[in-house]
């Protein structure tokens, strides 16, 4: 439990670092994706219960069941991050078409 | 409660969501799309006003999805409130009416600015409205996150709508920052879930005890919502987004950021986390300083107004932060009511400025202040601009002065330094607006202003003058119950009945 928690935080930190430090737009999007995986891992490990069964059977053994809320949260987050990633990739395509570059420093025309 | 009234919270989300997808079915009928947009949003506006009156007379209303009747929170054989629910009290009912009126004005204002792709614009606008209304009404932390993401994705597309080099850059910046902050929010939600095993805000508020984990979780949420509402020092995307968004719909983007600030105000008040009020005061003061000083050197008119909007949000957040940390009930009431009254005035006054700049940009086809001159013969626009300029910078007798006076007087009791900083930033706002006035209303060109734009401008000015002339009526009938709904948490907490 502790290990997964630390691991998920490390994955989130890696993703955010990649997102902030890199100059390539595709790498920024990949960094966001990695941070998303970290959050998903964190949410999934919240719902884990050792020895419990899934709450989908009508005639189940009388064992403790897990509450499916964290799984639902994870699924929703996967869908949302998919939509975000798709939108941002299409924007990056557009940026490349307009400016011929994917470097965020060269794209930038907006100043103070 | 009759059928329609009971289902109003759900219908008011469903209506813009479904009408957003109807636009694609209309094909090339441009006029039909205009009619559909205006009629659906007018119906929505009427329903939300009905809901405001209902809530004012009958108390908070709740809508629980998936239960036998929408007012039952708990499943009959189960002890944890797992169902998603909406809760409408005076505060979010008032903001929902404000939001939908702004969107109605934006749609009428943009009628003849749109070219052939009318449908796309309306789809984005309707999805923004869905996100905002959901964000306002929801009573579930994860549902809040979902609507936040709907709102920020559609706002990002709205910023990029012009699809030139600069707007795409601003939109990409906004998208990256908003999805990062969305992840931070989800992390905070995860912490709360790990501690309490539930996500319902009312139930959480009645059992929460603020310890270290809760402070970490709320810190994540507040920082992420600061990022989304562009409060300094996280404001780097805001002027870009305001400056590059289409000039006819920039007020919608401004409303979206204001709605994001609703979320952290609600969460901090309902969980009564007084310790984080200092964060709000610091962020608000910094926004007021940075917004007003940076507006002095801008050359793009909408970018300048974006910095002004940042400064005005700073005023609101400072007042509400003072209300959060103070313990006397009188002081809490006066600071928060000042902040909320300023929220109403801020939307109307900045709305007028954005509409006038929208008219100027449309006629002159440029956003640079140097190219905008030539409206010296349009006396009506000049008078309206002067009135709005006085209101935004807090000069008597306009409405902006009234709310700023409440903020100055009440925050003085918290620290005398706060009103001094706010007054200085007001003066700087006035000077940068004088610059804009001088560049727009200089020289003559005899250009005619389109009728729909004048209608919208007149509506906004009339709203401003009504508040200016009858401030007591507005404060007693609207701001007072709204403030009570925000600062007395007992009704918001107890409605679930756990």
């Amino acid at each position: 439990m502790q290990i997964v928690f630390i691991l998920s935080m490390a994955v989130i930190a890696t993703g955010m670092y990649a997102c902030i430090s890199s100059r390539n737009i595709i790498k920024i999007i990949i960094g966001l994706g990695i941070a998303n995986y970290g959050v998903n891992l964190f949410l999934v490990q919240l719902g884990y219960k050792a020895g419990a069964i899934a709450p989908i059977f009508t005639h189940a053994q009388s064992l403790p069941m897990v509450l499916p809320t964290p799984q639902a949260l994870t699924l929703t987050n996967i869908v949302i991050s998919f939509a975000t990633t798709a939108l941002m990739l299409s924007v990056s395509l557009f940026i490349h078409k307009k400016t011929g570059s994917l470097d965020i420093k060269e794209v930038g025309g907006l100043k103070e | 409660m009759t059928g329609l009234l009971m289902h109003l919270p759900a219908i008011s989300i469903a209506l813009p969501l479904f009408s957003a997808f109807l636009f694609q079915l209309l094909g090339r009928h441009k006029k039909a799309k205009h009619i559909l947009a205006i009629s659906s949003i007018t119906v929505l506006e009427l329903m939300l006003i009905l809901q405001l009156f209902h809530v004012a007379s009958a108390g908070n209303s709740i809508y629980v999805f998936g239960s036998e009747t929408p007012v039952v929170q708990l499943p009959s054989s189960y002890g944890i409130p797992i169902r998603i629910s909406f809760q409408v009290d005076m505060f979010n009912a008032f903001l929902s009416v404000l939001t939908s009126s702004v969107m109605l004005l934006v749609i009428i204002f943009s009628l003849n600015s749109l070219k052939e792709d009318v449908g796309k614009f309306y789809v984005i606008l309707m999805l923004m409205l869905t996100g905002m209304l959901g964000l306002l009404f929801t009573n579930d932390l994860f549902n809040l996150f979902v609507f936040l993401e709907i709102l920020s994705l559609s706002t990002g597309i709205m910023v990029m709508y012009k699809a030139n080099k600069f707007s795409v850059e601003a939109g990409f910046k906004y998208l990256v920052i908003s999805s990062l902050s969305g992840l931070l929010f989800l992390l905070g939600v995860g912490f709360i879930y790990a501690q309490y095993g539930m996500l319902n805000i009312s139930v959480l508020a009645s059992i929460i005890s603020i310890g270290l984990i809760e402070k970490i979780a709320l810190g994540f949420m507040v920082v992420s919502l600061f990022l989304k509402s562009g409060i300094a020092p996280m404001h780097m995307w805001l002027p870009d987004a305001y400056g590059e968004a289409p000039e006819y719909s920039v007020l919608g983007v401004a409303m979206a950021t204001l709605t994001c600030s609703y979320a952290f105000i609600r969460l901090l008040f309902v969980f009564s986390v007084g310790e984080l009020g200092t964060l709000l005061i610091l962020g608000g003061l910094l926004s007021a300083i940075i917004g007003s000083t940076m507006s002095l050197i801008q050359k793009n008119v909408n970018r300048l107004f974006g910095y002004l909007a940042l400064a005005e949000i700073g005023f609101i957040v400072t007042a509400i932060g003072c209300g959060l940390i103070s313990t006397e009930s009188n002081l809490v009431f006066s600071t928060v009511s000042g902040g909320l009254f300023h929220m109403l005035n801020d939307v109307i006054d900045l709305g007028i400025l954005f509409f006038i700049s929208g008219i100027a940009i449309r006629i002159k086809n440029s956003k640079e202040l140097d190219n905008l001159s030539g409206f010296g013969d349009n006396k009506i626009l000049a008078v309206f601009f002067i009135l709005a300029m006085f209101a935004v910078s807090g000069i008597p007798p306009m409405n902006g002065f009234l709310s700023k006076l409440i903020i100055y007087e009440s925050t003085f009791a918290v620290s005398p330094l706060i009103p001094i900083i706010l007054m200085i930033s007001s003066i700087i706002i006035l000077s940068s607006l004088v610059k804009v006035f001088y560049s727009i209303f200089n020289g003559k060109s005899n250009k005619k202003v389109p009728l729909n734009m004048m209608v919208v401008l007149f509506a906004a000015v009339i709203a401003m003058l009504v508040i200016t002339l009858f401030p007591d009526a507005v404060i007693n009938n609207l701001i007072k119950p709204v403030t009570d709904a925000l600062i007395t948490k007992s009704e918001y907490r107890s409605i679930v009945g756990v």
Side-chain angles (χ1 to χ4, degrees), chain B residues 350-410:
Chain B
L350 275 175
I352 295 171
L353 289 184
F354 275 128
F355 287 144
I356 291 178
S357 78
I359 292 173
I361 292 169
R362 172 157 159 79
I363 290 176
K364 289 287 170 182
N365 211 3
S366 164
K367 282 184 178 173
E368 298 299 311
L369 276 176
D370 299 341
N371 307 336
L372 279 181
S373 63
F375 290 87
D377 48 352
N378 200 331
K379 299 282 189 302
I380 302 173
L381 272 190
V383 169
F384 286 176
F385 192 94
I386 290 177
L387 288 179
M389 175 168 91
F390 281 8
V392 169
S393 47
I395 290 176
M398 301 310 293
N399 56 351
F401 165 71
L402 302 166
S403 54
K404 279 191 178 176
L405 190 65
I406 302 178
I407 294 179
Y408 296 152
E409 280 179 350
S410 54

Side-chain angles (χ1 to χ4, degrees), chain B residues 255-270:
Chain B
M255 201 62 217
T257 55
L258 194 66
T259 320
C260 290
S261 70
Y262 157 83
F264 68 78
I265 292 171
R266 165 67 82 200
L267 286 180
L268 288 181
F269 265 96
V270 83

Side-chain angles (χ1 to χ4, degrees), chain A residues 15 19-20 22 24-34 36 80-96 102 104, chain B residues 149 152-153 156-157 160 168-181 183:
Chain A
C19 186
I20 292 167
S22 47
N24 190 312
I25 287 176
I26 302 290
K27 284 183 184 167
I28 291 176
I29 298 171
I30 292 174
L32 269 176
I34 293 173
N36 252 313
I80 290 175
S81 67
F82 166 73
T84 317
T85 312
L87 179 63
M88 283 164 73
L89 282 174
S90 61
V91 173
S92 72
L93 206 65
F94 194 85
I95 289 178
H96 188 257
L102 280 175
I104 200 81
Chain B
E149 289 299 292
S152 52
L153 281 187
I157 305 173
M160 289 184 274
V168 170
E169 187 204 341
F172 187 77
K173 213 182 212 176
Y174 178 77
L175 277 180
V176 170
I177 287 168
S178 69
S179 38
L180 261 184
S181 61
L183 286 182

Side-chain angles (χ1 to χ4, degrees), chain A residues 12 16 25 32 35-36 39 46 67 69-70 73 76-77 80 88 91 94-95 98-99 108-112, chain B residues 78 142 145 149 160 163 165-166 168-169 172 176 179-180 183 186-187 190 193-194 240 244 294 298 303 307:
Chain A
I12 294 170
M16 290 205 170
I25 287 176
L32 269 176
N36 252 313
V39 173
L46 287 181
L67 193 64
T69 317
L73 304 193
T76 317
N77 189 37
I80 290 175
M88 283 164 73
V91 173
F94 194 85
I95 289 178
K98 284 271 169 187
T99 63
L110 292 168
K111 293 278 151 54
E112 286 312 319
Chain B
Y78 201 69
F142 187 72
F145 165 75
E149 289 299 292
M160 289 184 274
K165 191 183 153 194
F166 296 120
V168 170
E169 187 204 341
F172 187 77
V176 170
S179 38
L180 261 184
L183 286 182
L186 193 57
L187 210 58
Y193 182 82
D240 291 348
E244 300 307 323
M294 289 299 289
Q298 298 306 318
R303 210 177 154 84
Y307 274 111

Side-chain angles (χ1 to χ4, degrees), chain B residues 273-292:
Chain B
V273 201
E275 295 91 337
L276 290 178
T278 326
L279 205 63
L280 259 66
I281 297 178
L282 288 178
L285 288 179
L286 205 58
S287 313
I289 297 168
I290 291 179
S292 53

Side-chain angles (χ1 to χ4, degrees), chain B residues 322 326 328 331 334-335 407-416 418-419:
Chain B
C322 287
S326 52
E328 296 167 56
L331 192 58
S334 54
T335 44
I407 294 179
Y408 296 152
E409 280 179 350
S410 54
T411 53
F412 188 80
V414 178
S415 160
I418 297 173

